[in-house]
Amino acid sequence: MRSALVAIGWCILVGAAAAQTLHTAASVSAADTPEDAGGSIDVAWEASPDEAGEVFEVLGYEVWRATSATGEYRKVADVEPGKKSYQITDATAETGVDYYYKVKVLGEAFGEKMDADTAPRGPVSASPQWFRAGRLNMLIASIILATFILLYISKARAGQKLFIRRIAGLEAVQEAVGRATEMGKPVLFVPGIADIDDIQTIASVTILGRVATMIAEYDAELLVPCARSLVMATAQEVVKEAYLEAGRPDAYHRENIRYLTDDQFGYVAGVDGIMLREKPAANFYLGTFYAESLILAETGHSIGAIQIAGTAMPSQLPFFIAACDYTLIGEELFAASAYLSREPRLLGSLLGQDWGKVLILAFIILGAVTAFVAQFGVEIGGYSINLAQLFEVK
Amino acid sequence: MRREIPMIVAFVAGVIIILEFFVPALTPVSSRIQNWYLVVVAFAILVGAFNLLRLNYMKVRHRRTDWPFAILLIVGFFTMALAGLIGGIDEGTAFDWLFNYFVYPMSSTMFALLAFFVASAAYRAFRARTVDSTLLLAAAFIVMLGQVPIGSIWVPSWWPFFLSPDWLKDRIMDIGNTAGQRAILIGASLGVVSTSLRILLGIERSYLGEE
């Protein structure tokens, strides 16, 4: 009797569920992904009302695509439930092809699985855009900065005398090379562990060119262990050209610019080995460094070498400052080649860069002041000014 | 032409990649240039491997300082290369075993040296000889005290909150340290723009060996 009642109750519940249908996803839209190179379409929808209901359990959503409204649909995405609204990017779309999209809700009630399709949305096609409007501020800032730099380069070209502040680390380069020459020991130049596509490595290689010319003139020995093959190949060419320019092609030894390994700590072991065997009198660490910075700098310190480091990695700078004699901090690394060359056009670019810094500083101060006023408001001559209200800052 | 062609290549590739940041339609061209770079890198690996083997062979041949280590390197190089080429690099292969039981422990050993070097560098940096190093020592002491549980345990209830190591540590890290790091990053970013412009416009030519 009891089991018969349970069976009847179960039938009533299943019947009630069957009487109700699973709701489809609401407000489905399909549109070309904005500010991209084409090849993708954004599909968005709001959750099925059944996600909040008690009869059905929504198991998920599927996004289906076809090239005609009544054509054969192909699944392009599975989406987990649990949000109020959803958006997926179909990155498999072809540029210029018309597509139709459907969103299928997958549900379950009393062990019965069911689904509900939306009507097709479309046609929609992917297309490339010509400008990323969201990056307009970056474009304006880049143009202003480039204008400053080019303006001061042209001023320098015209012969205007430019003042560049003294950078102690770069003043010490000549002293370091001279010391190595006097002691009859080599100079070790470590160009970091990043590849040549890293701007810090490029800056390092440009400095290597200047330092190598100096070394060739002083007739000292230069060692350049590299962690990347392409950096080695570039460094070999740069050093060869520097020796040629200094009129000392005979002093150039290709094998002194060598590849060790791509492995971070394998490279450190190799460079430490070179330091302990060759006992260089001057060590340069210029480029991108990570955890190996302190291991290298402390080993260099233990052999009594004069050490000049430079990196734009804020987390490694304290280690270099603690263990090296001179450290080029951030922008000084990028200024080094221009500073060492003393060429007016290159120095002009440094001055342009400084004016860019002044502009950014002005904007930071302006931002801080407006944020302060927006937060607390000010009263001037009986008038209360609250920027939060003025600009509707919430 | 030896200098002009690399300068033209640097200019064209650089300008396309910069423009692509603002113009999405250029993405396919930019991706192609970056793929070419990857092809060049792949071939450069062979150049690097050849350079490594040649120099170590010369070291053994001329019996230079520590030449037995060069033999070890050559043997290690071919063992790893052959293990990878013959058995693959998946889990459970000989290459995987060599990596897990030789390369990985050796890398970890080098990394572990950092602990000792931090101690020796900190000893030198934190000696209170000047005003700067005394400030550094005081800041480091407060931050370290604020980072460990005992730093806040010893503080009695009547102790002013603005003198507790925890509060001071947060102020030093969030205000002083963050401001300093951002200043470095802003300066470095401007340096990146300036260096890129100099190279693109052919003003910086030291990498081509010309003043």
Side-chain angles (χ1 to χ4, degrees):
Chain A
M1 181 63 185
R2 191 176 170 184
S3 60
L5 282 171
V6 169
I8 291 164
W10 181 252
C11 287
I12 290 168
L13 284 170
V14 171
Q20 290 189 45
T21 51
L22 184 67
H23 286 91
T24 58
S27 308
V28 178
S29 66
D32 177 32
T33 307
E35 299 183 10
D36 74 341
S40 75
I41 291 170
D42 287 342
V43 182
W45 66 95
E46 283 176 14
S48 162
D50 290 316
E51 277 206 48
E54 291 177 355
V55 179
F56 295 99
E57 183 193 353
V58 174
L59 302 172
Y61 299 88
E62 288 176 352
V63 180
W64 294 70
R65 186 185 78 189
T67 48
S68 69
T70 53
E72 190 184 338
Y73 280 81
R74 192 171 69 84
K75 189 165 79 173
V76 291
D78 282 303
V79 181
E80 294 282 321
K83 292 183 190 170
K84 283 185 178 172
S85 60
Y86 301 86
Q87 183 176 324
I88 62 119
T89 299
D90 175 15
T92 59
E94 279 181 43
T95 301
V97 177
D98 282 343
Y99 290 108
Y100 293 81
Y101 286 88
K102 279 182 182 179
V103 176
K104 187 182 277 186
V105 183
L106 306 175
E108 186 179 3
F110 308 108
E112 286 282 318
K113 289 198 172 168
M114 52 198 78
D115 56 60
D117 265 350
T118 56
R121 294 289 186 277
V124 57
S125 62
S127 62
Q129 278 76 50
W130 282 103
F131 187 66
R132 286 189 173 99
R135 292 179 180 173
L136 181 65
N137 55 348
M138 299 272 289
L139 182 64
I140 293 169
S142 305
I143 290 170
I144 292 172
L145 188 58
T147 309
F148 273 131
I149 292 169
L150 294 175
L151 180 75
Y152 277 94
I153 288 173
S154 69
K155 277 190 177 184
R157 262 189 186 145
Q160 189 175 330
K161 201 169 167 60
L162 305 169
F163 169 76
I164 302 292
R165 74 177 166 89
R166 188 178 164 274
I167 301 175
L170 296 174
E171 295 287 328
V173 170
Q174 201 163 7
E175 178 198 335
V177 175
R179 183 174 182 258
T181 312
E182 280 173 12
M183 294 173 76
K185 289 180 173 181
V187 173
L188 180 73
F189 191 102
V190 182
I193 64 162
D195 216 330
I196 199 71
D197 60 339
D198 185 302
I199 188 74
Q200 292 188 65
T201 311
I202 295 172
S204 175
V205 169
T206 59
I207 300 165
L208 173 63
R210 309 283 178 203
V211 174
T213 310
M214 211 180 283
I215 289 169
E217 284 164 356
Y218 277 69
D219 199 20
E221 192 185 2
L222 173 66
L223 303 172
V224 188
C226 302
R228 297 284 184 267
S229 309
L230 213 51
V231 175
M232 177 201 75
T234 316
Q236 283 178 341
E237 287 305 307
V238 166
V239 174
K240 191 170 88 178
E241 292 293 336
Y243 274 72
L244 272 172
E245 197 183 297
R248 297 295 318 279
D250 53 308
Y252 169 67
H253 298 293
R254 196 178 178 84
E255 65 273 12
N256 282 358
I257 297 125
R258 65 186 78 164
Y259 169 75
L260 295 181
T261 168
D262 276 41
D263 182 76
Q264 184 184 15
F265 292 106
Y267 178 69
V268 176
V271 177
D272 278 4
I274 291 170
M275 280 192 216
L276 295 173
R277 277 194 302 275
E278 310 284 345
K279 299 269 190 301
N283 293 345
F284 292 87
Y285 312 106
L286 301 168
T288 301
F289 291 90
Y290 294 93
E292 70 285 352
S293 62
L294 190 63
I295 303 177
L296 294 174
E298 276 297 281
T299 310
H301 181 266
S302 72
I303 58 164
I306 184 168
Q307 303 201 96
I308 299 173
T311 185
M313 308 294 286
S315 54
Q316 302 307 319
L317 279 168
F319 297 128
F320 277 142
I321 290 168
C324 295
D325 299 285
Y326 300 96
T327 306
L328 305 176
I329 299 172
E331 61 182 313
E332 291 175 347
L333 171 72
F334 299 106
S337 176
Y339 191 93
L340 290 173
S341 75
R342 289 278 154 202
E343 200 199 325
R345 287 185 310 166
L346 293 173
L347 293 175
S349 71
L350 297 187
L351 215 61
Q353 186 183 323
D354 276 354
W355 276 105
K357 214 184 310 174
V358 169
L359 193 70
I360 288 174
L361 192 65
F363 273 110
I364 289 173
I365 292 169
L366 188 69
V369 170
T370 50
F372 180 83
V373 175
Q375 185 73 30
F376 299 106
V378 287
E379 205 171 292
I380 302 168
Y383 291 98
S384 174
I385 300 171
N386 190 320
L387 286 181
Q389 288 168 357
L390 200 63
F391 296 112
E392 292 185 1
V393 179
K394 299 214 169 77
Chain B
M1 288 303 279
R2 268 186 70 235
R3 292 199 173 98
E4 279 77 9
I5 290 175
M7 274 166 57
I8 292 167
V9 170
F11 179 79
V12 172
V15 166
I16 288 173
I17 287 171
I18 289 170
L19 282 180
E20 188 269 331
F21 186 75
F22 301 106
V23 182
L26 283 175
T27 302
V29 187
S30 164
S31 302
R32 178 151 293 197
I33 290 172
Q34 287 174 50
N35 286 340
W36 289 346
Y37 168 73
L38 291 177
V39 172
V40 173
V41 169
F43 279 99
I45 288 171
L46 296 177
V47 176
F50 178 72
N51 175 273
L52 183 73
L53 289 173
R54 192 175 67 85
L55 290 181
N56 280 282
Y57 168 71
M58 299 298 280
K59 198 170 177 177
V60 176
R61 196 176 162 195
H62 297 295
R63 299 286 191 274
R64 288 188 191 136
T65 321
D66 294 336
W67 62 271
F69 291 118
I71 296 178
L72 202 63
L73 184 138
I74 294 168
V75 171
F77 181 93
F78 282 110
T79 308
M80 287 297 283
L82 287 174
L85 288 170
I86 295 167
I89 58 168
D90 294 334
E91 205 173 320
T93 57
F95 182 90
D96 183 52
W97 189 85
L98 286 168
F99 184 84
N100 285 333
Y101 296 103
F102 280 89
V103 179
Y104 191 65
M106 285 192 288
S107 282
S108 302
T109 307
M110 283 308 296
F111 185 44
L113 283 177
L114 196 57
F116 301 100
F117 287 135
V118 164
S120 62
Y123 172 72
R124 283 204 311 280
F126 293 161
R127 270 182 298 178
R129 289 171 303 182
T130 60
V131 176
D132 292 350
S133 55
T134 310
L135 279 173
L136 188 67
L137 174 66
F141 181 74
I142 293 166
V143 170
M144 281 194 279
L145 207 59
Q147 293 280 27
V148 292
I150 199 167
S152 45
I153 288 171
W154 68 269
V155 178
S157 56
W158 51 265
W159 191 262
F161 74 93
F162 55 87
L163 287 180
S164 71
D166 218 19
W167 191 88
L168 285 171
K169 181 260 296 179
D170 285 345
R171 300 288 94 67
I172 291 171
M173 294 302 288
D174 295 348
I175 299 169
N177 184 51
T178 306
Q181 292 217 6
R182 282 183 186 162
I184 291 169
L185 284 175
I186 290 169
S189 307
L190 289 169
V192 168
V193 175
S194 181
T195 305
S196 307
L197 264 178
R198 290 200 299 261
I199 292 173
L200 288 183
L201 298 175
I203 298 168
E204 173 68 82
R205 279 178 281 186
S206 65
Y207 69 102
L208 298 171
E210 191 182 60
E211 283 289 332

